Amino acid sequence: AQKVTQAQTEISVVEKEDVTLDCVYETRDTTYYLFWYKQPPSGELVFLIRRNSFDEQNEISGRYSWNFQKSTSSFNFTITASQVVDSAVYFCALSEYGNTGTASKLTFGTGTRLQVTL
Amino acid sequence: KAGVTQTPRYLIKTRGQQVTLSCSPISGHRSVSWYQQTPGQGLQFLFEYFSETQRNKGNFPGRFSGRQFSNSRSEMNVSTLELGDSALYLCATRKGNLGMDTQYFGPGTRLTVL
């Protein structure tokens, strides 16, 4: 069975600090997709990034960057110069193929609560 | 482009009642998935519908059911409510049903069972 582990339950930083959220996954599929979502207090899950198992190129988008390492089954997410508005719960997720052969289901980690204070 | 819409946003029901939640997808999205989020179990997959057919189902009892209409809108129903059904129910939609298709989530329906 597929599994996503986010070992960090809660992280507190002061504004402008850099913070890295860890994600480790397990899957037997050779083709899979990894996602990061952000859940602010309003409750809606906001999509941040998607990566497929063939694309290990790391990416930087503004203050966000992602580090995908297939060799260690990790997909970490870094926020540079954090801001109070970054406070939210961040979820790492893995797509899973159902019995129909299509990727129907997202398996989520337990989430990391990020608190950014002034 | 309008996002995923879920109605109602909040619901309070009592044990034994039934409830129907609605999800309207982003225009052009044909796949709708439902997830349950609780503090104890986290985010769990309920089921997915694509072209009015259920494509995959999670490990939930038969009290949880759903359907999808020809316009891709979806409803989920929970019968004989239990206290443990109190949760945030999130709907996610995407264009197709392949792994590369990103799921976009609605704001959720917060269900409280008393």
Side-chain angles (χ1 to χ4, degrees):
Chain A
Q2 306 200 359
K3 185 178 178 182
V4 176
T5 302
Q6 294 180 255
Q8 304 153 309
T9 304
E10 189 161 347
I11 299 176
S12 292
V13 299
V14 176
E15 200 175 42
K16 297 183 184 174
E17 285 185 15
D18 297 349
V19 57
T20 294
L21 308 181
D22 298 332
C23 173
V24 174
Y25 62 92
E26 295 175 28
T27 179
R28 289 186 218 170
D29 289 350
T30 54
T31 301
Y32 52 89
Y33 296 83
L34 294 160
F35 302 80
W36 275 98
Y37 286 87
K38 170 183 178 181
Q39 187 175 41
S42 60
E44 180 174 349
L45 280 167
V46 178
F47 166 70
L48 296 176
I49 189 173
R50 178 191 74 211
R51 269 292 174 268
N52 69 50
S53 52
F54 297 105
D55 179 9
E56 288 195 71
Q57 181 179 356
N58 295 312
E59 180 177 327
I60 297 175
S61 176
R63 296 186 298 108
Y64 299 159
S65 62
W66 293 268
N67 187 331
F68 174 36
Q69 291 193 355
K70 209 168 173 179
S71 59
T72 56
S73 297
S74 66
F75 184 46
N76 299 336
F77 168 51
T78 297
I79 303 174
T80 302
S82 60
Q83 299 175 1
V84 172
V85 293
D86 295 327
S87 297
V89 181
Y90 291 81
F91 290 94
C92 180
L94 173 67
S95 67
E96 180 174 2
Y97 282 76
N99 55 11
T100 61
T102 58
S104 299
K105 167 184 171 180
L106 285 175
T107 298
F108 285 89
T110 50
T112 297
R113 181 177 299 277
L114 174 63
Q115 184 71 39
V116 183
T117 56
L118 292 171
Chain B
K1 200 173 192 180
V4 179
T5 304
Q6 289 189 247
T7 56
R9 294 293 311 278
Y10 301 91
L11 265 178
I12 299 176
K13 293 284 188 180
T14 56
R15 279 180 298 174
Q17 287 187 308
Q18 75 165 22
V19 65
T20 298
L21 313 181
S22 179
C23 173
S24 293
I26 293 170
S27 177
H29 285 198
R30 297 168 59 197
S31 164
V32 177
S33 295
W34 290 89
Y35 292 82
Q36 181 197 64
Q37 185 177 25
T38 60
Q41 299 298 317
L43 279 154
Q44 293 186 287
F45 172 77
L46 280 155
F47 30 65
E48 180 186 30
Y49 286 85
F50 181 76
S51 295
E52 301 180 65
T53 302
Q54 188 180 89
R55 299 297 175 131
N56 198 6
K57 189 176 189 306
N59 295 324
F60 279 83
R63 300 185 297 107
F64 292 82
S65 63
R67 60 177 175 169
Q68 186 180 35
F69 302 96
S70 59
N71 62 357
S72 295
R73 190 177 69 85
S74 176
E75 289 181 346
M76 70 161 278
N77 184 77
V78 187
S79 62
T80 319
L81 284 167
E82 300 176 0
L83 294 179
D85 297 333
S86 293
L88 180 65
Y89 290 89
L90 292 161
C91 161
T93 78
R94 53 182 177 163
K95 282 187 181 178
N97 63 344
L98 301 177
M100 66 185 72
D101 295 316
T102 298
Q103 296 191 27
Y104 294 91
F105 286 79
T109 294
R110 187 165 296 281
L111 172 65
T112 302
V113 182
L114 302 175

